[in-house]
Amino acid sequence: MTTPAAKQKVGLVGLGAMGRGVASNLLAKGFGVVGSDVRVEAGEWIRAQGGEFAASPRDLAARCDVIVSLVVNDAQTEEALFGAQGLAPHLQKGAVFVMCSTVAPSYARALAPRLAALGVALIDAPVTGGMVGAAKGTLTIMGAGPAQAFERARPVLQAFGNRIYHLGEQNGAGAQMKVINQLLCGVHLAAAGEALAMAQRQNLPLGPTLEILSSGAASSWMLGDRGPRMIRGAFDDVTSAVDIFVKDMSLVLDATRESKYAAPLAHAAYLAFLDASGRGLGRADDSAVIRHYEQAKADPK
């Protein structure tokens, strides 16, 4: 029996690790998926899953009235929408563009009227939960935008998210919430690296140290998830790179300047990621931030 969802094709821009998890869940829930990505192998992958491939974002426009974008940042979003093969000028009037990328709130606020002038509604809907959440369909989605458009997009969002929040009709609120989310993620991750590096400096056994810290009030999601990689020094299996946090913490600092809000812990975390990147670890897994603390030499006195 054909379900209503099966009649709807969802456009998906970006078929990286996150995009593939989202695509798999959409297909499993009965949606058609038309994916677009610059990589040829992404087309082979989506076809093998039962979806369709569009050679460029522009080719999605006539085929889908809800487009979900999972590219990395605002520059890639801008290219997908308004570049030489951009989809924005070709979208159907009444279409909904769901931007799941982590971008500056100011970009989301400025993008909304540009799309509205074309008859397209913007939902800025960044996500948290990582590759695992995308694969399992358990992402938390923090969205903002016109209520009617949000409700049109909700069944699509429910295919890959299990906590969906509408933060109001003002675009940019979703991006602002993601900035706060990344502030905590970055600080928690940097703090986990600092604590484990200190334990190493004091010659404590790192395995039991991690177990003890994870068993009580000192625990955090980042410590539990990234801590094992830190003590193994396993930074080649990348789920999220150091440079992603350099970017995200830069967005956090931009927001603190805009609102004249002092955030010293966010600044300290940003410097830890920046230093790790400067040491050649920008493309390594973000747990490599521990190297920032390990490289600091003890006072010889």
Side-chain angles (χ1 to χ4, degrees):
M1 180 177 178
T2 301
T3 65
K7 298 177 182 178
Q8 182 178 8
K9 286 186 177 180
V10 177
L12 189 56
V13 181
L15 292 171
M18 294 289 290
R20 292 187 183 195
V22 168
S24 295
N25 279 288
L26 285 167
L27 289 165
K29 301 292 172 56
F31 289 89
V33 175
V34 185
S36 177
D37 195 282
V38 296
R39 296 163 298 176
V40 174
E41 63 270 20
E44 298 170 353
W45 179 86
I46 192 67
R47 291 189 187 100
Q49 309 309 306
E52 302 173 35
F53 188 67
S56 70
R58 175 177 177 170
D59 294 334
L60 294 174
R63 299 156 73 178
C64 310
D65 60 2
V66 175
I67 311 289
V68 178
S69 177
L70 282 151
V71 297
V72 173
N73 54 27
D74 51 2
Q76 291 187 7
T77 302
E78 189 71 11
E79 180 65 22
L81 284 169
F82 298 104
Q85 295 296 317
L87 62 90
H90 308 282
L91 283 168
Q92 308 166 46
K93 290 194 181 301
V96 179
F97 183 75
V98 181
M99 180 173 62
C100 294
S101 307
T102 300
V103 303
S106 59
Y107 178 75
R109 290 192 295 266
L111 179 60
R114 295 168 66 196
L115 291 179
L118 300 172
V120 176
L122 172 66
I123 301 297
D124 66 290
V127 300
T128 187
M131 291 170 52
V132 173
K136 292 183 176 180
T138 57
L139 292 171
T140 295
I141 302 172
M142 47 203 99
Q148 185 176 6
F150 192 89
E151 292 309 312
R152 281 186 57 206
R154 186 182 290 274
V156 174
L157 300 178
Q158 288 173 331
F160 57 89
N162 66 349
R163 293 181 180 87
I164 300 166
Y165 298 91
H166 185 217
L167 299 170
E169 298 211 359
Q170 182 62 49
N171 284 112
Q176 287 174 315
M177 184 60 72
K178 184 60 183 289
V179 163
I180 302 299
N181 184 84
Q182 294 310 93
L183 186 159
L184 280 173
C185 287
V187 168
H188 289 173
L189 179 51
E194 184 174 44
L196 291 175
M198 183 175 178
Q200 186 177 49
R201 174 69 58 81
Q202 295 179 336
N203 297 314
L204 288 167
L206 291 186
T209 295
L210 180 58
E211 290 183 20
I212 291 166
L213 296 178
S214 299
S215 69
S219 185
S220 69
W221 189 93
M222 280 295 188
L223 177 67
D225 188 76
R226 305 306 206 262
R229 298 178 223 172
M230 290 180 176
I231 65 175
R232 293 196 310 268
F235 307 132
D236 292 334
D237 187 11
V238 180
T239 57
S240 176
V242 166
D243 276 346
I244 294 294
F245 263 102
V246 172
K247 171 188 75 80
D248 287 0
M249 296 307 289
S250 294
L251 293 177
V252 171
L253 298 191
D254 288 343
T256 66
R257 284 190 291 271
E258 182 180 338
S259 56
K260 295 181 172 58
Y261 180 80
L265 296 180
H267 281 74
Y270 167 73
L271 292 175
F273 290 108
L274 187 65
D275 179 68
S277 181
R279 295 177 187 276
L281 294 167
R283 295 185 178 181
D285 188 76
D286 56 25
S287 56
V289 71
I290 192 175
R291 291 286 189 248
H292 165 72
Y293 301 101
E294 290 176 344
Q295 295 289 342
K297 300 299 183 183
D299 188 333
K301 297 180 182 179

